[in-house]
Amino acid sequence: AEALRAEFPALHQRTNGRDLIYFDSGATSQKPARVLGALEKFYARDNANVHRGAHALATRATDAYEAARDKVAAFVGARRDEIVWTRGATEAINLVAQAWGPSNLGAGDEIVLTELEHHSNLVPWQLLARRTGAKIRYARLDADGAGVDEAHLLAQINGRTKLVALVHVSNVLGSVAPVAAVVAAARTRGAPGCAVLLDACQSAPHAPLDVGALGVDFLAASGHKMCGPTGIGFLYGRREVLAAMDPWQGGGEMIADVFLDDGETTFADPPARFEAGTPPIAEAVGLGAAVDFLADVGMEHVAAHEAALGARLYDGLAAFGDRLELYGPTDAADRGAALVAFNARGVHAADLATFLDLEGVAVRAGHHCTQPLHARLGAPGGSVRASLALYNTADEVDAFLAALARVLDDFDGAG
C-alpha cells in the first residue's frame, strides 16, 4: 500500500493543516496517475468520435474505446459483447428496468429485493412495479443486523418471481450476499426466465469477480469506485438475455437501418443496441486504464490487504465499547469490503464527520442512499462510514482511531 500510494496524487495533501486520511472510498475512489495520464493523452492526442470515422484520430479513439471494453470483460470474466457502457451502476440498473422489465413483468409477477439495497436498486424497481402491476417482496435484515436474513430471502422466491435484484456487498454493513443460494433458488423455484441482478459496486473494486462463477444474469458496477473516472460504469448481461431485450434509448449508434416507416427500422446487436449517441469515450478509456492498474496489482492481493485493514478497523472501533454502535458482521470473515458504519452515542453523524474532517480524516455521513436500511437499524438520522481501499495503510487506521478518540473526548467535555 505504501508503494501504491505514490500513484495517487490526491492522497498527498494536507487538509485543515493535517495529512489527509481518505476513508471515503465507498463513495468514490481516488485515481492513480496512469488513469489521469490516460485521460490527458486521449484528449491531447486521440480526441475524436468513435466508429465510422476514416481518419487517424477516429481510428485511435475507437481502438482505445473498444480495447477498454475488452479489459472490463476480462476483469469480470465476460464476453466483450456482454459489456454495455453506462454512466454508472445507477444507469445500468435503470437500463435493465426499462429495457428488460416491461417485456418480462406484468400484473401478478413478483420482484424480490432486500432491505439492504442502495436506492439505485430499489427505486427503479418500484417505478417498474407501478407501471406493470408487479409486486415487490422485500427480504428482511437478519436478527443480528449483520446482513440479509438468508432463509427469509430464499423463502420470497416462488413461481411468480421474475427477478431477484440484490447487492453483492452492502455499502453500509459490508456483508456479502448469498449469491449462489439465490441463483440456485431462482433457477429451481422462480418463474421461467427468472433473472438475477447483482449490484457489484462494493465488490468489483475489492475482490476478484467472475460472472460465470456467480451465475447471475446481470451485474452492475461503477467505474469511479474502481479507481476510474466518474461518469462511466458498465452493465454485464448474459448474451442471450441482452439479445432478447428491446432498446431503451433511440439515436445514433444503436441502429442497424433506419426508415421513415418506423416499423421497418432495425436495431444493432448488443452491446451497441443499448449505447445510443456519443458514448463516454474518454471515461471508458480511463476505466480501461484503471482496470489495467487493478489487474497489475492483483485483485487477490487487494482482497487480502483490505481484509487485514478491515479487521484492524473494526477491532479498533469495537474497542470504544458502548461509546459507539457498530453496524454489520462482527466476524471479519463475513465482510466483503473494508468498511464500517457506526454512530457515536449522543453525537449526530454529520457533526462527528465534520469534526473528524478538522482532524484531516475524510469519512462519509448520512444514509449512504439506504434510508430503509437505516430505519431498520434504528438509525433514521444516518451513520458515519469509514471505507478503505487498496491504497490505505494500517498506520492510517491507527491515526483515524486516535483522531476519533480525540473528537469523542471533545464532545464528552462539551457535554
Side-chain angles (χ1 to χ4, degrees), residues 314-322 326:
Y314 188 91
D315 290 346
L317 290 170
F320 282 87
D322 62 6
L326 310 186

Side-chain angles (χ1 to χ4, degrees), residues 20-396:
L20 171 65
I21 298 174
Y22 186 77
F23 278 11
D24 195 22
S25 294
T28 197
S29 62
Q30 294 301 332
K31 321 305 176 191
R34 74 171 69 178
V35 171
L36 303 178
L39 292 169
E40 182 179 13
K41 175 181 178 292
F42 177 82
Y43 280 124
R45 182 174 180 272
D46 301 332
N47 184 43
N49 215 325
V50 293
H51 307 139
R52 302 185 310 281
H55 57 83
L57 271 67
T59 299
R60 293 202 303 262
T62 300
D63 288 348
Y65 173 75
E66 292 298 345
R69 194 190 306 272
D70 291 332
K71 295 172 183 179
V72 169
F75 188 73
V76 298
R79 296 168 49 107
R80 73 177 322 274
D81 59 358
E82 294 178 318
I83 299 298
V84 180
W85 295 125
T86 64
R87 289 184 300 152
T90 297
E91 185 169 86
I93 294 169
N94 276 274
L95 189 163
V96 177
Q98 295 181 40
W100 179 88
S103 299
N104 289 276
L105 283 163
D109 292 331
E110 294 184 357
I111 301 167
V112 174
L113 308 174
T114 82
E115 293 181 338
L116 283 64
E117 302 309 312
H118 190 282
H119 297 160
S120 62
N121 203 27
L122 285 175
V123 179
W125 308 118
Q126 292 173 341
L127 294 173
L128 179 63
R130 290 180 188 177
R131 293 197 299 269
T132 63
K135 175 183 177 181
I136 299 177
R137 290 178 174 266
Y138 295 100
R140 66 190 174 216
L141 187 67
D142 67 19
D144 297 327
V148 68
D149 183 325
E150 181 175 347
H152 189 251
L153 169 59
L154 298 179
Q156 305 312 303
I157 301 173
N158 59 62
R160 294 181 298 277
T161 305
K162 288 290 188 71
L163 174 74
V164 184
L166 72 166
V167 64
H168 194 187
V169 174
S170 169
N171 72 322
V172 174
L173 305 177
S175 56
V176 183
V179 179
V182 168
V183 170
R187 302 290 180 249
T188 58
R189 300 208 306 267
C194 178
V196 179
L197 180 146
L198 198 62
D199 170 1
C201 282
Q202 298 296 337
S203 56
H206 305 298
L209 276 185
D210 184 331
V211 292
L214 288 167
V216 297
D217 301 283
F218 300 106
L219 180 144
S222 287
H224 72 94
K225 299 184 194 301
M226 299 169 58
C227 298
T230 57
I232 184 71
F234 63 91
L235 171 71
Y236 156 78
R238 283 198 300 116
R239 186 186 185 199
E240 58 270 30
V241 179
L242 291 178
M245 288 165 53
D246 293 326
W248 79 303
Q249 292 179 331
E253 294 283 342
M254 51 74 66
I255 53 87
D257 293 291
V258 176
F259 302 92
L260 295 183
D261 182 345
D262 63 4
E264 297 182 11
T265 293
T266 56
F267 307 111
D269 291 332
R273 184 184 303 171
F274 309 107
E275 296 177 351
T278 297
I281 306 167
E283 290 83 356
V285 172
L287 179 54
V291 166
D292 280 343
F293 175 81
L294 292 173
D296 287 348
V297 175
M299 292 308 296
E300 67 282 2
H301 300 305
V302 172
H305 171 66
E306 292 187 13
L309 283 185
R312 190 183 192 96
L313 174 66
Y314 188 91
D315 290 346
L317 290 170
F320 282 87
D322 62 6
R323 299 177 79 185
L324 299 180
E325 182 174 6
L326 310 186
Y327 306 112
T330 57
D331 188 339
D334 295 329
R335 291 178 173 270
L339 66 84
V340 182
F342 63 94
N343 272 307
R345 301 187 189 281
V347 183
H348 194 281
D351 293 336
L352 186 56
T354 298
F355 278 82
L356 283 169
D357 180 58
L358 296 177
E359 296 278 345
V361 178
V363 293
R364 183 75 26 176
H367 296 103
H368 320 303
C369 294
T370 57
Q371 286 183 323
L373 174 58
H374 276 83
R376 179 65 71 180
L377 291 169
S383 63
V384 176
R385 183 184 67 192
S387 53
L388 285 57
L390 72 167
Y391 40 68
N392 291 120
T393 67
D395 286 345
E396 286 186 303

